[in-house]
Amino acid sequence: MLKLCGFRISNYHNKVRIALLEKGIEHEEDASCTPKQSGEFLARSPMGKAPFLELDDGRRLTESQVICEYLEEAYPQKPLLPRDPWQRARVRELVTHIELYLELPVRRTYGFVFFGRAVDEQVKQAVEKDLAKGVRALKALATFAPYIAGPELTLADCAAFVHLPLVSLTTKLAYGRDFLEDLRELRPYLQMLGERPAFRRVNDERKVAQAAAQKK
């Protein structure tokens, strides 16, 4: 049986978990794997990152999008990528834009937003400029018809559901406003996804994990 190894606060772990549940793939979860640089952990994940996927025969895959692409090819019965090559590329384009131009830039503010470090004004200004470009690109690419890439649920929705609320929250805390507030379709879209059993389950488990972490 496949085993997803990571931790439930991680948006990248949760992206893969949603894909597994939506596709109906039987799997186990080890939610105790946080990033480490120990030799033992590096033997399982070469960069010491999570999540990673362990296969029945001991082989492993790292990086959330690589894992999702593998799941698409190995378990095609319930696809999360369209059949049409152009539409498949459009889904991948959306995932890439969300992760490279929104999630990754906003992550640079986590130190002073979530971990009490001193505010770095240069970083803050640079991130603001990068996010403006990312938001502009998202507005151009997202369709919300009703899903973010079109009429069918795709991997782009798995990514959007875990990343975009974090972008909204972080920008509110760092800049005093939600950088995604002008995307009027976003809130009802996320609410729609949140009503799906797989999305709701993963989101509920994330909240429990966060609450537990805050008590430590």
Side-chain angles (χ1 to χ4, degrees):
M1 184 183 297
L2 299 180
K3 181 186 289 186
L4 177 63
C5 304
F7 58 108
R8 290 178 173 176
I9 297 175
S10 163
N11 38 335
Y12 288 95
H13 176 87
N14 291 336
K15 179 181 82 168
V16 178
R17 186 91 193 289
I18 290 171
L20 283 162
L21 292 170
E22 280 289 342
K23 291 175 71 64
I25 300 172
E26 188 176 0
H27 66 283
E28 297 176 342
E29 182 191 19
D30 180 351
S32 66
C33 294
T34 54
K36 299 180 184 69
Q37 290 297 307
S38 67
E40 181 181 358
F41 197 82
L42 291 172
R44 303 173 74 192
S45 173
M47 287 294 292
K49 295 169 60 178
F52 56 91
L53 187 72
E54 291 187 337
L55 280 64
D56 295 342
D57 58 6
R59 291 179 297 170
R60 299 182 181 95
L61 284 173
T62 59
E63 298 297 333
S64 66
Q65 193 58 27
V66 172
I67 295 169
C68 287
E69 295 277 351
Y70 166 75
L71 296 176
E72 279 297 292
E73 294 187 10
Y75 302 88
Q77 295 84 355
K78 189 177 179 182
L80 289 175
L81 284 173
R83 289 186 178 182
D84 178 75
W86 170 259
Q87 295 300 331
R88 290 171 76 90
R90 290 272 292 126
V91 170
R92 293 182 173 113
E93 181 183 35
L94 266 165
V95 173
T96 301
H97 274 263
I98 290 170
E99 295 187 346
L100 284 186
Y101 307 128
L102 290 170
E103 199 280 341
L104 192 60
V106 83
R107 186 172 286 265
R108 296 175 63 195
T109 69
Y110 285 4
F112 57 83
V113 170
F114 297 118
F115 301 110
R117 298 174 191 162
V119 175
D120 187 324
E121 288 296 336
Q122 288 186 329
V123 168
K124 190 174 176 180
Q125 292 173 15
V127 169
E128 185 173 13
K129 291 180 181 178
D130 289 342
L131 286 176
K133 297 175 185 177
V135 172
R136 181 187 64 201
L138 180 64
K139 288 179 179 178
L141 294 172
T143 65
F144 301 111
Y147 298 102
I148 199 165
E152 303 293 335
L153 183 80
T154 68
L155 289 176
D157 299 294
C158 301
F161 186 76
V162 298
H163 296 317
L164 297 184
L166 192 54
V167 173
S168 291
L169 172 63
T170 307
T171 53
K172 283 180 185 178
L173 295 174
Y175 301 94
R177 66 182 180 88
D178 179 0
F179 281 21
L180 299 177
E181 62 187 354
D182 291 339
L183 268 173
R184 296 181 180 179
E185 305 95 335
L186 183 59
R187 181 174 293 181
Y189 159 74
L190 292 174
Q191 289 176 343
M192 174 190 69
L193 290 181
E195 293 171 358
R196 297 180 68 92
F199 286 77
R200 182 171 62 249
R201 175 179 174 180
V202 171
N203 198 39
D204 288 346
E205 291 172 346
R206 174 190 62 80
K207 292 177 182 178
V208 171
Q210 284 182 323
Q214 289 170 356
K215 292 179 181 178
K216 292 181 180 180

